[in-house]
Amino acid sequence: MPHFKPQNDDRSYAPPKPLYEQVKSYVLKNMESGEWPAYFQLPSEHTLVREMGISRMTIHRALRELTQAGYLERIQGVGTFVAAPKKQPKKLELQEIDDIIRARGGRHQCEVHFLQGEPAEKDAANMMGMEVGADVYRSYFVHRENGLPVMLEDRYVNPAFMPEYLDADFSRITADTHLSRKFALLSHAHVIQAAVSNAEINHFLELEATTACIVINRKSWLGEDIVSAARLVFPGNRIQLG
Amino acid sequence: MPHFKPQNDDRSYAPPKPLYEQVKSYVLKNMESGEWPAYFQLPSEHTLVREMGISRMTIHRALRELTQAGYLERIQGVGTFVAAPKKQPKKLELQEIDDIIRARGGRHQCEVHFLQGEPAEKDAANMMGMEVGADVYRSYFVHRENGLPVMLEDRYVNPAFMPEYLDADFSRITADTHLSRKFALLSHAHVIQAAVSNAEINHFLELEATTACIVINRKSWLGEDIVSAARLVFPGNRIQLG
DNA sequence: GAGTGGTCTAGACCACTCC
DNA sequence: GAGTGGTCTAGACCACTCC
């Protein structure tokens, strides 16, 4: 606390950050600098009130928000501590293809190659957790960025959950978005692989030579049930993720 | 609010939930029942104060926490609204290579090919946000599963943040884990690509032919500063992620 | 000007821990 | 009993929106 001074806006045009944000920054700064290492006990709320000249409710809000965010741990009757270092989960957000394209300033188009009901073959039945021969919807799309194919989407959908799938409009709304809108509680599991393109992929993605591709297998669950499974193929020379 | 009554513990042994939790439950209950659908404008804080007999700070805390959690949207001067249904972000968790291998029941080994300080070349300087020619640590590891190479890790580390990097033990603890343990506040950004292996990759990963690989570029940030940048190469025929 | 949410205070009472 | 964090209040001032 020796050098804390609340930010003042008397002479500046930008409004100052709220006091509780200033307290949060102050705590994080001490953590980043190593001044307050893991397991370090912070000054008590009472002490911070006195030393920073800020009311206890405001100090408390700052520390509570840092605790909710995982930076601190608080024990009633004992004190406030810098949280033990936990391995940060390294998460990658997989954006929708149309969002990726729009974020790059491109124009997204979706070409429907087929869209039909069919009896599930062994692979499809396996992926969808259905009986071989059961009715399944299958769609096969090529997504283009300014005309150039950037993703192939080969998708199965369980007709029991989405009987209207075959009548949906995929030119403006992706299949994933249709699913998300219908099922608010949908969860997803992904497997990512690299593979070289084969004749099928070369044809639909209009690749001139064998190309390394990212292949994402995505299953979409509603509780215990698989609503949809898709294989997404991205040519490595045209697109990257993340 | 017609039937809201704060929970009372006069005759019960369990302590009552705090008032702000009771307000949160009350709001969520109205949302779940459909009473307050998406875009519905909630009663104002002032109205809730009057009707629930709870002070404004407590009402405010409840609504603020529901807003942070994404259930509500608040606009100063206008009001509080039930949030629009949003598409679920699709996240992929990138596990550490040693965790992946152990999860599959394999034995993980890390082979250090080099580990040294060097002046940053243009690419390295670029990735690390450093000046060309500045000192940078570089490590080059091959990770093996039961003897078979499954990942190449080419990593730069900023010596200013981790002067002890060159003396670390990488046989039992990955570089990423070393970094996570030292810096609790590390954040990561990833770019994933597919590429075919070149002579360097074929050599270190002991690949017999050109192979499609997943390439992850991971940058690890401490605030505004890049602490480390790594290129991780996974041969597509030996490993998949997720 | 009336109504909204955003912040902040000074005080209070409490449950809990440690000695 | 002294110190800790958890909650709650009644009031204040403010920025912002809408009319």
Side-chain angles (χ1 to χ4, degrees):
Chain A
M1 272 54 45
H3 302 101
F4 178 82
K5 239 187 139 183
Q7 197 188 333
N8 192 318
D9 67 335
D10 286 349
R11 310 193 175 237
S12 73
Y13 294 111
K17 282 204 299 184
L19 283 177
Y20 71 90
E21 287 292 351
Q22 296 183 45
V23 175
K24 286 168 75 172
S25 300
Y26 172 78
V27 171
L28 288 174
K29 195 165 61 67
N30 277 291
M31 289 173 61
E32 277 172 24
S33 73
E35 196 81 14
W36 294 356
Y39 309 108
F40 177 83
Q41 177 166 7
L42 270 65
S44 72
E45 295 192 350
H46 177 71
T47 305
L48 290 169
V49 165
R50 203 166 6 89
E51 294 186 336
M52 302 181 86
I54 292 174
S55 81
R56 186 172 161 232
M57 276 300 278
T58 300
I59 298 284
H60 182 77
R61 173 171 176 181
L63 299 183
R64 173 157 41 83
E65 291 186 359
L66 290 174
T67 303
Q68 284 166 345
Y71 294 113
L72 302 176
E73 291 194 7
R74 317 198 74 187
I75 306 173
Q76 196 178 142
V78 181
T80 302
F81 303 85
V82 175
K86 29 182 202 312
K87 305 200 167 185
Q88 308 94 336
K90 298 177 178 67
K91 298 221 172 178
L92 175 74
E93 181 162 347
L94 299 170
Q95 284 184 285
E96 296 290 335
I97 186 67
D98 54 335
D99 290 336
I100 294 174
I101 291 171
R102 275 194 290 268
R104 308 208 287 196
R107 179 171 46 89
H108 169 254
Q109 287 168 286
C110 176
E111 200 173 84
V112 179
H113 283 276
F114 57 87
L115 178 58
Q116 63 196 25
E118 57 184 45
E121 292 175 21
K122 202 178 157 195
D123 275 4
N126 225 350
M127 280 170 67
M128 293 293 291
M130 299 170 75
E131 304 282 314
V132 173
D135 272 345
V136 67
Y137 292 160
R138 185 175 184 190
S139 59
Y140 200 97
F141 305 137
V142 169
H143 296 265
R144 293 171 182 267
E145 176 178 27
N146 302 328
L148 189 72
V150 291
M151 183 178 108
L152 187 153
E153 176 178 0
D154 183 7
R155 177 180 295 276
Y156 294 95
V157 171
N158 187 330
F161 290 101
M162 204 154 180
E164 73 277 24
Y165 185 71
L166 300 183
D167 300 319
D169 172 16
F170 296 102
S171 63
R172 303 170 59 86
I173 299 174
T174 64
D176 263 318
T177 303
H178 278 297
L179 287 162
S180 291
R181 288 200 186 161
K182 172 148 186 181
F183 303 105
L185 300 178
L186 212 58
S187 62
H188 306 277
H190 301 93
V191 175
I192 296 195
Q193 289 174 282
V196 292
S197 58
N198 57 19
E200 173 200 341
I201 293 171
N202 284 338
H203 172 70
F204 284 105
L205 292 181
E206 296 168 13
L207 297 168
E208 290 178 3
T210 296
T211 304
C213 294
I214 299 176
V215 181
I216 299 185
N217 283 290
R218 169 179 296 160
K219 286 188 189 182
S220 301
W221 301 79
L222 199 58
E224 302 289 303
D225 302 308
I226 301 175
V227 174
S228 181
R231 178 174 60 109
L232 312 175
V233 182
F234 304 82
N237 55 349
R238 294 183 188 159
I239 204 153
Q240 56 187 26
L241 305 175
Chain B
M1 271 57 46
H3 303 100
F4 178 82
K5 238 187 139 183
Q7 198 186 332
N8 193 318
D9 66 336
D10 285 351
R11 313 198 170 231
S12 74
Y13 293 112
K17 282 204 301 184
L19 281 177
Y20 71 90
E21 287 291 352
Q22 295 183 46
V23 175
K24 286 168 75 172
S25 300
Y26 173 77
V27 172
L28 288 174
K29 196 165 59 70
N30 276 291
M31 288 172 59
E32 278 169 22
S33 74
E35 197 80 14
W36 294 356
Y39 308 109
F40 177 83
Q41 177 166 7
L42 271 64
S44 72
E45 294 191 350
H46 176 71
T47 305
L48 290 169
V49 164
R50 199 164 12 87
E51 296 187 336
M52 302 181 85
I54 293 175
S55 83
R56 188 173 158 228
M57 277 299 278
T58 300
I59 297 285
H60 182 78
R61 173 171 176 181
L63 298 183
R64 172 157 43 80
E65 292 186 358
L66 289 175
T67 304
Q68 284 166 345
Y71 294 112
L72 301 177
E73 291 194 8
R74 318 197 73 187
I75 306 172
Q76 194 178 141
V78 180
T80 301
F81 303 85
V82 175
K86 41 188 192 314
K87 49 168 105 174
Q88 312 95 332
K90 299 178 178 66
K91 298 221 172 178
L92 175 74
E93 181 161 349
L94 300 169
Q95 283 185 284
E96 296 290 337
I97 187 66
D98 55 335
D99 290 336
I100 294 175
I101 290 171
R102 275 194 289 269
R104 307 207 287 195
R107 179 172 46 89
H108 170 253
Q109 288 168 285
C110 176
E111 197 173 86
V112 179
H113 282 275
F114 57 89
L115 178 60
Q116 63 195 24
E118 58 181 47
E121 291 176 20
K122 201 178 158 198
D123 276 3
N126 226 348
M127 279 170 66
M128 293 292 292
M130 301 170 73
E131 302 283 312
V132 173
D135 273 345
V136 66
Y137 291 161
R138 186 177 184 189
S139 59
Y140 201 96
F141 306 138
V142 169
H143 296 265
R144 292 172 183 267
E145 175 178 27
N146 301 328
L148 189 71
V150 292
M151 183 178 107
L152 187 153
E153 175 178 0
D154 183 8
R155 176 181 295 276
Y156 294 96
V157 171
N158 187 331
F161 290 101
M162 203 153 181
E164 73 278 22
Y165 185 72
L166 300 184
D167 300 317
D169 170 16
F170 295 102
S171 63
R172 302 169 60 84
I173 299 174
T174 63
D176 263 316
T177 302
H178 278 298
L179 288 162
S180 291
R181 289 200 185 162
K182 172 149 187 181
F183 302 105
L185 300 180
L186 213 56
S187 62
H188 306 277
H190 301 93
V191 175
I192 296 196
Q193 288 174 284
V196 292
S197 57
N198 58 20
E200 173 200 340
I201 293 172
N202 284 338
H203 172 70
F204 285 103
L205 292 181
E206 297 168 12
L207 297 169
E208 290 177 5
T210 297
T211 304
C213 295
I214 299 177
V215 181
I216 299 186
N217 284 289
R218 169 179 296 161
K219 286 189 188 180
S220 301
W221 300 81
L222 199 59
E224 301 289 301
D225 302 307
I226 301 174
V227 174
S228 181
R231 178 175 59 109
L232 313 175
V233 182
F234 304 82
N237 55 348
R238 293 182 188 160
I239 203 154
Q240 56 187 27
L241 306 173

